[in-house]
Amino acid sequence: MSRDFHSVHSEPSGFLRRYVFSTDHKVIAKQYLALSMFWGLFGGATAYLIRWQLARPEAEVPGWGYVSPDVYNALVTMHGTIMVFFVAMPFLLAVFGNFLIPLMIGARDMAFPRLNMLSVWVFFLASVTLLASIFVPGGPASAGWTGYPPLSAKPEYTGVDWGLNLWILALALEFASFLLGGINFLTTVMNLRAPGMTFFRLPMLVWMQLIAAVVFMISVGPLIAGAVMLLLDRIAGTTFYLPEGGGEPLLWQHLFWFFGHPEVYVILLPAFGIILDVMSVFSRKPVFGYRPIIYASLVAGFLSFVVWAHHQYISGLDPRLAMPFSVTTILISVPFSFVVFSMIATLWGGSIQFTTPMLFAVGSLGVFIFGGLTGIFNGSAPFDIYIHDTYFVVAHFHSTLISAVFFGGLAGLYFWFPKMFGRMMNETLGKIHFWLTFACFILVFGPMHLLGLGGMMRRIANPLQYDFLKPLEPLNLFITIAATVLILSQVIFVVNFVVSLVRGKAAASNPWKANTLEWATASPPPHENFEKIPSVYRGPYEYSVPGASDDWLPQDRPLADAGAAAR
Amino acid sequence: MVKTDVMTPFVEAATPPGKTGLWWFLASEIPVFGGLIASYVVLRLGSSGWAEAASHLNFSYALINTFLLLTSSMTIVMAHAAARDRSFGRASLFLGATVLLGAGFLGIKALEYSGEIAHGFTPAAGIFWSFYYAMTGLHALHVLVGIVANLTLWIDAVRGRLARHPHRVEVAGLYWHFVDIVWIFLFPLIYLS
Ligand code: HEM
Ligand SMILES: [Cu+2]
């Protein structure tokens, strides 16, 4: 039986064992949450500096001072690196995966609790390394979060020496941490499910975490090899990416984007899992098309491996390859459209409760549709050649990423906060937070498409050096003001989070009347999760079952108590 | 319409978590070597002068090493079989042989590297050498990790502690086979072409 792999231990008593070197998946999830919130604030600060530099390129940034072009390059590089690898990944995968997978499958912990502790500490080391890289002589990496050689391959080219080496090291540690985490997730779900928990009774969130783990695992390997080569070019004199030694700069682009494109789905899929679970609960309806969504996500995961060169249409790629990669890219919109329509169909005709998590989930869907539509434009080579490396692309990928990380992730945090911390968050503040964030998002990233169509390129410290960009300056100022409000609105969230943590109303074990197993135990769950491992009788989404006495039917409730009324 | 009320009996996978985990670990390793090998093949096909550089390699060392690794794959299978039959004395013998064969591989690799570096073929000597050192070096690191894993099991076996977790020999063996298979790809790609 699954339980035999885990003997029941009493909770460790020392402070260090309990909160610092803990092997409890719930504590580890909170550690990841703390780290990703720290990095989120850091990444937000870089966005603030970038935006004000663009709003008034020749003036000082309020509260900071003059930003030189070198510093600007470093800021853009750090912003991208931090947001993707140190906010999105830990928040969406590590926090929700760690906290929810054992609870949702009815296990006492992960399959390898000590490996789990190792993952979070390796990630901590990666964080320290990235922070350290800012303070070494020469400053932090400034070759963009994509680190294209030859710029990144020789210290002379950017003037950054150890900053970039440490950047590579930080990413390597980050990848190692998430590989270990993924192995743990996969093994846990394969080996430790509670009795009756078949694969097709797993909640969406668990499925999406699994698919994301596999996609990450397959895509990151070549980039790990590529990063080793880049580091060797910098410190051992090899010439993998340097044409003068017979190397090929394009090789990095292939390795990077073979990872980079699947990576956006690694971020997106867990967010889909959150959104689908939240939508089902608050529309009191089953997820529409449970199995087809799983199949569609698998198809999208597979297709994500054959689209990478759509980032390289103007990189000197053989032009004959543009067409096949356009076709595969646009093909991906088929499975994703399916998931989007399933979400809409889940909402359709439901008794919708607009709680804060639901607002964020619906907002996420709206923003994703927005970003997904411009993705179809970017994917087709003739259009992309025109807007490549402009703010149109920046607007596009922020729509998809912010849909996943911001709206999707926050939907999850508001939803599972009661389970994590045993207290409710304030709904009014939550709703204000949502509406401000949503409105500002539109004001920031909507007009950004116009900047791109107007020809403004990305990663440029001073657009005013080009006459044709001068008329865009008022628009830049407008976007910056909206972005500042967007960043400031997050203060509402932080206040709500902190105050609720200490003074929030105590949460019942199942405040949202949801079906999945994590709600079958106390809030917060005890050290071993369940007093007795539950038995699972049905799928996760039996809401509003006709004839049942309640409008929800938990996965672990035997039919006898589900009320004779059920039939 | 509560149709899913029957509790499906839960069929527990017979596989211990350690083995499932190792399979996923190997699944994550294949793309690392795959990416490196694919890069090597693509760049090599697209340029010239690699065969000349490759001709400076020491073929006999590589051949001996291939033989050592293949033999060690056999000895670890025998160690596994012995552990499964609970004859831990034999298991420790075969584990020890596996460790020695792996160490032999690394020793010869070190000789090979030092000879090449003495002739000026350092990692900085050109693109072929860049790949040569990266590919064989990454593989050698994996051999080292395997040796450490097998060595701990050997120590356990000698001290009579293997009985508590004999299935670890199988897990270590899976990893060791993987290291071996990678070499089976590297050997022809680097030394024979
Ligand atoms: C507070 C909201 C945010 C604002 C105002 C913002 C703003 C910006 C700006 C102005 C750039 C520079 C574009 C350039 O000139 O190249 C940028 C780049 C980028 N952002 Fe954001 N951003 C925000 C949040 C995020 C989030 C949540 C993510 C991902 C999860 C993200 C990922 C990226 C990436 C990957 C880049 C590309 C960096 C590069 O070119 O190397 N951003 N962002
Ligand atoms: Cu892409």
Side-chain angles (χ1 to χ4, degrees):
Chain A
M1 281 270 84
S2 59
R3 276 153 285 176
D4 291 348
F5 290 120
H6 272 293
S7 41
V8 177
H9 304 285
S10 59
E11 187 166 7
S13 48
F15 176 82
L16 276 184
R17 279 250 148 252
R18 230 167 129 158
Y19 299 110
V20 184
F21 298 103
S22 170
T23 55
D24 182 335
H25 69 104
K26 301 181 289 299
V27 178
I28 290 175
K30 289 174 193 170
Q31 292 172 331
Y32 274 115
L33 182 62
L35 286 169
S36 51
M37 281 172 113
F38 164 78
W39 281 117
L41 295 177
F42 202 114
T46 54
Y48 167 82
L49 296 177
I50 294 172
R51 267 325 314 175
W52 276 100
Q53 170 65 18
L54 293 175
R56 298 186 306 173
E58 263 124 36
E60 295 194 344
V61 171
W64 172 269
Y66 184 67
V67 173
S68 69
D70 289 353
V71 171
Y72 185 83
N73 285 345
L75 280 173
V76 171
T77 305
M78 282 298 130
H79 174 78
T81 307
I82 289 171
M83 288 299 193
V84 172
F85 296 114
F86 291 80
V87 180
M89 295 274 288
F91 188 34
L92 290 176
L93 281 90
V95 174
F96 293 107
N98 267 306
F99 188 77
L100 292 170
I101 288 178
L103 285 169
M104 283 182 159
I105 66 171
R108 300 219 178 271
D109 204 324
M110 287 285 177
F112 309 111
R114 272 177 302 173
L115 192 71
N116 208 13
M117 179 173 91
L118 186 68
S119 314
V120 75
W121 283 102
V122 172
F123 179 71
F124 182 75
L125 252 177
S127 300
V128 172
T129 310
L130 192 69
L131 273 182
S133 82
I134 298 172
F135 300 104
V136 294
S142 59
W145 82 285
T146 48
Y148 276 12
L151 196 59
S152 57
K154 265 196 173 174
E156 297 90 85
Y157 294 156
T158 50
V160 177
D161 191 359
W162 270 93
L164 217 152
N165 296 351
L166 289 178
W167 178 82
I168 298 175
L169 198 65
L171 290 191
L173 289 168
E174 209 262 359
F175 295 157
S177 156
F178 280 89
L179 275 178
L180 296 180
I183 291 170
N184 223 336
F185 287 6
L186 288 159
T187 310
T188 305
V189 177
M190 283 175 74
N191 287 35
L192 299 186
R193 279 164 294 125
M197 181 57 91
T198 60
F199 269 99
F200 285 118
R201 287 176 178 178
L202 291 172
M204 262 323 163
L205 183 115
V206 177
W207 263 108
M208 294 298 170
Q209 292 280 353
L210 291 189
I211 301 175
V214 173
V215 171
F216 179 72
M217 189 174 266
I218 298 173
S219 62
V220 80
L223 184 62
I224 292 178
V228 171
M229 295 192 244
L230 187 62
L231 194 62
L232 290 176
D233 272 5
R234 293 179 64 86
I235 62 179
T238 57
T239 54
F240 292 106
Y241 303 118
L242 294 166
E244 61 266 32
E248 172 58 88
L250 258 183
L251 173 63
W252 169 268
Q253 295 192 17
H254 286 291
L255 297 174
F256 185 89
W257 288 114
F258 183 78
F259 163 77
H261 195 89
E263 168 70 7
V264 299
Y265 298 149
V266 170
I267 293 171
L268 192 60
L269 291 176
F272 277 179
I274 293 171
I275 298 165
L276 285 162
D277 277 358
V278 169
M279 281 183 171
S280 171
V281 170
F282 293 117
S283 51
R284 313 308 292 168
K285 273 184 65 196
V287 161
F288 181 87
Y290 173 88
R291 284 196 197 205
I293 291 178
I294 294 167
Y295 299 140
S297 307
L298 288 169
V299 169
F302 172 77
L303 283 176
S304 72
F305 288 102
V306 287
V307 299
W308 77 89
H310 62 212
H311 296 275
Q312 296 164 251
Y313 288 141
I314 63 164
S315 296
L317 188 79
D318 186 330
R320 282 169 299 185
L321 283 176
M323 184 56 138
F325 277 102
S326 288
V327 170
T328 50
T329 302
I330 294 172
L331 213 57
I332 283 209
S333 54
V334 176
F336 276 134
S337 309
F338 180 83
V339 178
V340 163
F341 282 119
S342 298
M343 288 177 182
I344 297 174
T346 304
L347 300 175
W348 197 271
S351 359
I352 295 187
Q353 302 163 358
F354 277 114
T355 56
T356 308
M358 183 61 159
L359 285 175
F360 273 94
V362 175
S364 176
L365 171 62
V367 172
F368 180 73
I369 293 176
F370 191 56
L373 286 177
T374 50
I376 300 179
F377 289 76
N378 296 344
S380 79
F383 186 77
D384 186 66
I385 288 168
Y386 177 64
I387 48 92
H388 179 76
D389 254 341
T390 69
Y391 262 80
F392 190 88
V393 173
V394 176
H396 154 73
F397 71 69
H398 278 90
S399 303
T400 51
L401 284 171
I402 289 185
S403 155
V405 184
F406 239 81
F407 290 97
L410 286 172
L413 198 55
Y414 277 107
F415 185 66
W416 279 291
F417 184 93
K419 188 50 67 180
M420 284 180 144
F421 300 102
R423 290 181 188 278
M424 304 301 287
M425 283 182 86
N426 183 303
E427 276 288 311
T428 316
L429 285 180
K431 283 177 184 156
I432 298 174
H433 174 215
F434 169 77
W435 284 112
L436 273 174
T437 305
F438 191 72
C440 291
F441 166 83
I442 292 173
L443 295 179
V444 173
F445 294 99
M448 221 182 251
H449 292 87
L450 300 178
L451 290 182
L453 293 176
M456 181 166 153
M457 44 300 235
R458 64 195 274 211
R459 297 180 182 169
I460 163 183
N462 183 357
L464 293 185
Q465 39 184 312
Y466 301 99
D467 280 334
F468 77 100
L469 292 181
K470 283 186 178 146
L472 294 177
E473 228 23 49
L475 195 54
N476 264 319
L477 182 62
F478 173 81
I479 292 177
T480 296
I481 292 169
T484 310
V485 181
L486 175 62
I487 294 170
L488 287 179
S489 345
Q490 305 317 306
V491 173
I492 303 174
F493 166 72
V494 174
V495 168
N496 192 355
F497 186 89
V498 174
V499 172
S500 304
L501 211 53
V502 284
R503 286 228 307 262
K505 191 163 103 269
S509 67
N510 189 1
W512 312 119
K513 299 189 176 26
N515 285 342
T516 41
L517 292 184
E518 78 273 24
W519 305 106
T521 183
S523 303
H527 178 60
E528 295 286 341
N529 289 352
F530 300 95
E531 254 154 46
K532 186 173 151 292
I533 293 290
S535 290
V536 175
Y537 299 92
R538 59 186 67 79
Y541 301 115
E542 306 265 339
Y543 293 103
S544 308
V545 177
S549 50
D550 297 324
D551 74 345
W552 84 105
L553 193 48
Q555 284 189 280
D556 62 330
R557 189 184 295 169
L559 200 53
D561 342 342
R567 211 173 289 209
Chain B
M1 183 209 46
V2 189
K3 52 186 186 324
T4 47
D5 56 271
V6 192
M7 186 180 135
T8 326
F10 180 58
V11 195
E12 169 58 43
T15 336
K19 200 165 150 191
T20 315
L22 191 95
W23 274 114
W24 283 114
F25 175 71
L26 294 185
S28 74
E29 287 266 61
I30 292 169
V32 180
F33 282 102
L36 202 51
I37 290 174
S39 306
Y40 170 82
V41 170
V42 170
L43 286 205
R44 182 163 181 164
L45 288 177
S47 39
S48 55
W50 292 48
E52 201 279 323
S55 68
H56 296 285
L57 292 172
N58 190 324
F59 179 69
S60 354
Y61 279 158
L63 198 62
I64 300 173
N65 261 349
T66 309
F67 176 73
L68 290 184
L69 268 197
L70 285 180
T71 316
S72 73
S73 256
M74 187 182 73
T75 53
I76 200 149
V77 169
M78 295 164 94
H80 171 219
R84 204 185 40 209
D85 299 344
R86 307 194 72 78
S87 46
F88 296 111
R90 274 212 354 256
S92 80
L93 209 68
F94 286 124
L95 278 171
T98 313
V99 170
L100 286 182
L101 288 165
F105 177 93
L106 284 189
I108 289 181
K109 199 76 224 158
L111 276 180
E112 203 184 329
Y113 279 165
S114 49
E116 279 143 5
I117 291 172
H119 285 90
F121 300 124
T122 63
I127 183 74
F128 172 77
W129 295 102
S130 298
F131 269 106
Y132 165 76
Y133 280 101
M135 289 160 86
T136 56
L138 189 66
H139 176 259
L141 271 180
H142 280 76
V143 175
L144 190 64
V145 171
I147 291 177
V148 172
N150 296 341
L151 195 63
T152 28
L153 287 177
W154 177 75
I155 293 172
D156 274 10
V158 170
R159 295 205 178 156
R161 287 190 311 213
L162 198 57
R164 262 184 279 157
H165 42 71
H167 72 275
R168 286 197 189 164
V169 180
E170 187 187 2
V171 175
L174 283 172
Y175 175 78
W176 192 252
H177 286 326
F178 173 76
V179 172
D180 202 0
I181 290 171
V182 170
W183 180 255
I184 299 297
F185 277 92
L186 296 188
F187 176 58
L189 278 173
I190 294 179
Y191 294 89
L192 296 183
S193 52

